[in-house]
């Protein structure tokens, strides 16, 4: 048995509510006279048509002759039989000059309920007799024989049109309820899928994804959900890798501190103090290294958790690159690594200047430290109306696609273990650039390694 979802019931109840409001609105308009029920329009049209027919019959007559009366009686008989009613014509004195009945249908004691007065002077009444009723209408007619009045009385069962209206509404509601079933299922199916996937995410399973094929708001929600799942998976796995790498990075200095501590203890137990200061300095260096490493880890974690800083500074990227190049030139030492600049004029760039300085320092220092001796580091900066592009190139053996992405992973360092650093600089740079809605990518070029930064100017 198919389970009726709450969403389906809510949609159905909302539809029924709208339907009831619409019915109430129609009722108010009918009551106020802004809309006329069908029977009044039918009576108006019948009265006008009969008046036109009678007028044509009388138009060529010189007087109310017996022949004219017979013709009018036949017209009224045909008309009243067609509409299951009675018709008659009265003169100015109220005398009947033609009729379709033998006994007058109205006694004068009926209670008339006026429904409509037309611009031509026609009046339409509703006469109720229990559950049954009749529509009575009459209208003036100017003829060569003088003013006449054309009367029509049609039987009308009041409940017929009401039942028809209610049956139509019931049919409409039934069809709508049936059509709402696939609509609600189309809505609830992806929502239920997201609910199950979210439950698995909460349990640590980051594999579930939902269907993104719909091109509507549900598709947008599905794509957003999958993006969230991807981000969570990347964040959790990154956190696990970060924790593992951090424990590895901290284990080495801790081991060296433990060795120095053991040496100091043995010498003190032996009553010797020679060389103790050297081991104390080593311990201090290792402690400072761990303190710096933990500080950088904390900063990187804050970048992941906190909102991006406001971009309130206006900077000249070319000028910032010149300053960063001056700061990293001493890193080359005596290795003969010239830093060459090719900077185009740059438009003002809105950014967090302090963070952007970190990006340029990390990228440029990474290029200088890993560049082989006697090779240059080339810095190119150019822009169009939309994007500012910075390229930093240094000599380096070709890397695979996986290795090119690994350089941005914390603690991952590709060779050159003797180079000072902890593998966090490019991770910082990528996070800051992405917070500025930009991109940073690594690529292998002819004979070297290129870091490309693209920053939107608007």
């Amino acid at each position: 048995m198919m389970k009726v979802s709450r969403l389906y019931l809510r949609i159905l109840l909302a539809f029924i509510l709208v339907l009831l409001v619409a019915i109430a609105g129609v009722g108010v308009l009918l009551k106020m006279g802004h809309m006329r029920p069908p029977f009044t329009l039918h009576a108006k049209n019948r009265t006008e048509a009969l008046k036109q027919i009678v007028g044509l019959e009388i138009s060529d007559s010189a007087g109310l002759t017996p022949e004219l009366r017979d013709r009018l009686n036949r017209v009224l008989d045909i008309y009243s039989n067609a509409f299951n009613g009675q018709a008659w014509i009265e003169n100015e004195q109220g005398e009947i000059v033609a009729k379709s009945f033998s006994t007058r249908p109205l006694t004068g004691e009926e209670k008339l309920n006026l429904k409509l007065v037309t611009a031509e002077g026609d009046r339409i009444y509703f006469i109720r007799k229990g559950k049954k009723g009749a529509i009575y209408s009459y209208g003036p007619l100017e003829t060569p024989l003088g003013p006449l009045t054309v009367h029509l009385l049609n039987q009308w069962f009041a409940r017929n049109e009401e039942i028809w209206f209610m049956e139509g509404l019931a049919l409409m509601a039934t069809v709508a309820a049936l059509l709402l079933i696939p609509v609600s299922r189309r809505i609830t199916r992806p929502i239920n899928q997201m609910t199950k996937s979210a439950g698995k995410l909460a349990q640590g399973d980051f594999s579930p994804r939902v269907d993104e094929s719909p091109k509507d708001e549900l598709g947008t929600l599905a794509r957003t959900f999958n993006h969230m799942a991807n981000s969570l998976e990347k964040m959790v796995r990154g956190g696990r890798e970060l924790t593992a790498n951090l424990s590895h990075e901290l284990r080495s200095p801790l081991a060296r501190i433990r060795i120095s501590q053991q040496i100091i203890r043995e010498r003190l137990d032996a009553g010797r103090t020679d060389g103790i200061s050297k081991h104390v300095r080593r311990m201090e260096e290792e402690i400072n290294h761990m303190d710096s490493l933990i500080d950088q880890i904390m900063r990187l974690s804050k970048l992941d958790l906190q909102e991006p800083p406001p971009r309130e500074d206006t900077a000249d990227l070319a000028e910032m690159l010149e300053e960063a190049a001056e700061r990293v030139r001493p890193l080359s030492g005596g290795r003969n690594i010239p830093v060459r600049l090719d900077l185009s004029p740059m438009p003002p760039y809105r950014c967090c200047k302090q963070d952007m300085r970190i990006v340029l320092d990390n990228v440029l220092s990474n290029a200088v430290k890993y560049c082989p001796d006697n090779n240059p580091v080339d810095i190119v900066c150019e822009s169009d109306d939309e994007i500012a592009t910075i390229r930093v190139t240094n000599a380096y053996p070709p890397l695979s696609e996986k290795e090119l992405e690994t350089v941005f992973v914390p603690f991952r360092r590709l060779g050159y273990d003797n180079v000072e650093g902890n593998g966090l600089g490019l991770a910082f740079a990528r996070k800051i650039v992405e917070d500025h809605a930009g991109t940073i990518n690594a690529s292998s070029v002819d004979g070297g390694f290129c870091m490309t930064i693209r920053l939107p100017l608007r």
Side-chain angles (χ1 to χ4, degrees):
M1 182 177 179
M2 184 183 70
K3 182 180 179 181
V4 179
S5 67
R6 293 183 179 180
L7 181 60
Y8 168 74
L9 292 176
R10 289 180 180 178
I11 295 175
L12 182 60
L13 290 176
F15 170 78
I16 294 175
L17 179 61
V18 171
L19 196 62
L20 292 176
V21 172
I23 294 172
V26 171
V28 171
L29 291 175
L30 287 173
K31 193 71 175 177
M32 295 174 63
H34 293 298
M35 291 179 61
R36 296 296 176 187
F39 63 81
T40 59
L41 299 178
H42 296 334
K44 174 179 177 296
N45 294 334
R46 292 172 187 173
T47 305
E48 288 298 321
L50 184 57
K51 285 166 58 177
Q52 291 179 11
I53 295 173
V54 172
L56 291 174
E57 291 289 339
I58 299 177
S59 60
D60 297 332
S61 301
L64 192 59
T65 63
E67 292 79 9
L68 177 59
R69 286 177 180 269
D70 290 339
R71 291 203 310 271
L72 292 175
N73 286 336
R74 285 196 296 272
V75 169
L76 296 180
D77 284 337
I78 295 172
Y79 207 79
S80 59
N81 289 332
F83 295 106
N84 189 27
Q86 303 294 339
W88 67 97
I89 303 172
E90 294 181 355
N91 60 18
E92 194 173 9
Q93 289 75 33
E95 299 172 346
I96 297 177
V97 298
K99 60 182 180 178
S100 65
F101 51 80
S102 57
T103 303
R104 189 164 185 148
L106 295 181
T107 63
E109 298 179 356
E110 293 84 4
K111 184 177 180 180
L112 304 180
N113 184 10
L114 181 63
K115 291 296 184 181
L116 178 65
V117 178
T118 68
E120 293 79 12
D122 299 343
R123 289 178 174 267
I124 300 172
Y125 297 88
F126 177 68
I127 304 174
R128 183 178 292 276
K129 296 180 180 180
K131 291 186 177 181
K132 297 183 178 180
I135 302 300
Y136 169 53
S137 62
Y138 68 87
L141 176 65
E142 295 294 333
T143 70
L145 305 179
L148 298 175
T149 306
V150 178
H151 299 257
L152 276 173
L153 180 66
N154 297 111
Q155 295 299 318
W156 181 77
F157 297 93
R159 296 293 295 177
N160 284 352
E161 293 192 10
E162 294 174 4
I163 292 173
W164 177 87
F165 181 66
M166 294 306 296
E167 287 177 347
L169 290 179
L171 178 62
M172 186 189 307
T174 302
V175 172
L178 293 175
L179 292 177
L180 285 175
I181 294 176
V183 173
S184 65
R185 287 175 65 85
R186 185 178 182 275
I187 295 174
T188 55
R189 187 181 296 111
I191 293 177
N192 291 335
Q193 186 182 7
M194 290 181 202
T195 302
K196 294 179 181 178
S197 299
K200 292 182 179 180
L201 290 176
Q203 296 173 1
D205 181 4
F206 295 97
S207 61
R209 297 294 185 272
V210 295
D211 181 20
E212 300 181 3
S213 58
K215 303 300 182 182
D216 52 13
E217 288 79 0
L218 287 174
T220 303
L221 178 60
R223 286 187 288 274
T224 303
F225 180 89
N226 288 341
H227 176 70
M228 177 197 70
N230 291 332
S231 299
L232 284 174
E233 183 178 15
K234 187 183 297 184
M235 187 181 301
V236 171
R237 288 183 178 177
R240 291 172 181 171
E241 291 179 1
L242 185 64
T243 302
N245 292 327
L246 179 60
S247 63
H248 173 75
E249 290 291 324
L250 292 178
R251 189 174 291 114
S252 296
L254 283 173
R256 291 191 290 268
I257 290 175
R258 188 175 291 110
I259 291 173
S260 297
Q261 179 191 28
Q262 185 65 29
I263 293 174
I264 292 174
R265 180 176 296 168
E266 290 177 355
R267 293 197 176 189
L268 289 176
D269 290 342
R272 297 171 52 192
T273 59
D274 56 302
I276 290 180
S277 58
K278 179 180 67 173
H279 290 287
V280 170
R281 284 194 303 270
R282 288 180 179 175
M283 293 174 64
E284 290 175 349
E285 291 173 358
E286 296 296 343
I287 292 172
N288 291 334
H289 172 69
M290 286 194 299
D291 184 63
S292 173
L293 184 61
I294 293 172
D295 180 63
Q296 292 187 64
I297 291 297
M298 293 296 294
R299 290 173 58 194
L300 185 60
S301 300
K302 288 180 180 179
L303 286 176
D304 284 329
L305 296 176
Q306 67 187 8
E307 290 294 322
R311 297 162 62 179
E312 299 176 342
D313 304 323
T314 301
D316 184 335
L317 287 175
E319 181 179 333
M320 292 186 68
L321 281 167
E322 290 179 349
E323 295 173 353
E326 289 299 320
R327 288 193 293 271
V328 301
R329 278 193 175 98
L331 296 178
S332 63
R335 297 190 302 143
N336 188 26
I337 300 177
V339 179
R340 303 186 303 195
L341 297 170
D342 180 9
L343 308 178
S344 301
M346 302 294 294
Y349 175 59
R350 296 282 295 179
C351 64
C352 176
K353 196 170 183 179
Q354 180 180 358
D355 286 353
M356 194 53 59
R357 177 176 175 173
I358 294 174
V359 172
L360 299 181
D361 284 349
N362 288 346
V363 172
L364 268 61
S365 62
N366 187 78
V368 172
K369 288 190 295 183
Y370 286 91
C371 184
D373 297 351
N374 303 313
N375 285 275
V377 171
D378 292 317
I379 303 171
V380 177
C381 182
E382 57 190 7
S383 70
D384 53 26
D385 293 336
E386 302 291 336
I387 300 291
T389 303
I390 302 171
R391 294 185 180 87
V392 181
T393 307
N394 60 278
Y396 200 83
L399 298 175
S400 66
E401 291 296 326
K402 183 177 181 180
E403 289 174 326
L404 290 172
E405 186 61 27
T406 301
V407 299
F408 297 102
V409 178
F411 300 115
R412 297 293 181 86
R413 304 173 66 196
L414 302 177
Y416 291 90
D417 292 336
N418 58 330
V419 177
E420 182 182 355
N422 47 39
L424 292 175
L426 294 182
F428 271 109
R430 167 166 280 189
K431 178 59 180 172
I432 293 172
V433 169
E434 289 177 349
D435 285 344
H436 283 71
T439 61
I440 178 170
N441 297 292
S443 60
S444 290
V445 297
D446 186 18
F449 174 86
C450 180
M451 192 72 66
T452 304
I453 303 173
R454 292 184 175 86
L455 301 168
L457 295 175
R458 296 182 181 179

